[in-house]
Amino acid sequence: MATIEECRSALDRLAANLADAEGGVRSAAAMDRSLSCRITDLDVTFVGRLSGGRIEDVTTVPGTPADKAQIRLTMSGDDLVALVRGELNFAKAWGSGRVKLQAGLRDVLRLRSLL
């Protein structure tokens, strides 16, 4: 089971990947939305902001935050680490229910190239 530190490191790596992205991926990440990533097996949620192609101001909150982010991901810590490492395909994980994504339709359409 991944630790909170490993999950935080995976999110930092994802943030760096987004910041270095170019073309369609960069433009898809350029939206300004609140973001959360709930790690079910650790009972924590990372909350932050997707802004200008970066994930910023990430904090860790125990449990589920009272305020719902505009883009919400839910998964296990191991799945987060595997996704960022490229060992787990997002589409297959989403289709099988291992990863949950909740967002408005417009946001989901823009996020397709990121995920």
Side-chain angles (χ1 to χ4, degrees):
M1 179 167 77
T3 65
I4 290 176
E5 293 78 19
E6 290 170 321
C7 291
R8 178 59 191 238
S9 178
L11 285 173
D12 289 344
R13 183 172 175 194
L14 177 61
N17 291 348
L18 289 177
D20 293 339
E22 296 180 5
V25 173
R26 178 88 173 158
S27 64
M31 62 177 80
D32 184 21
R33 298 286 187 271
S34 58
L35 177 70
S36 70
C37 182
R38 172 126 172 79
I39 307 301
T40 55
D41 53 334
L42 298 175
D43 195 28
V44 298
T45 304
F46 295 95
V47 295
R49 186 135 207 105
L50 180 61
S51 178
R54 297 179 170 275
I55 300 174
E56 302 174 335
D57 304 324
V58 177
T59 59
T60 307
V61 177
T64 304
D67 296 329
K68 290 190 176 191
Q70 292 165 307
I71 300 171
R72 297 181 303 278
L73 291 163
T74 304
M75 67 192 81
S76 73
D78 289 340
D79 286 344
L80 172 63
V81 171
L83 280 170
V84 173
R85 287 182 182 161
E87 299 166 356
L88 179 63
N89 179 280
F90 180 84
K92 289 181 182 178
W94 186 25
S96 70
R98 284 176 67 178
V99 173
K100 294 183 175 109
L101 169 66
Q102 296 174 297
L105 181 59
R106 179 179 283 167
D107 290 338
V108 171
L109 293 174
R110 287 188 70 189
L111 289 169
R112 283 185 311 184
S113 62
L114 293 176
L115 309 171

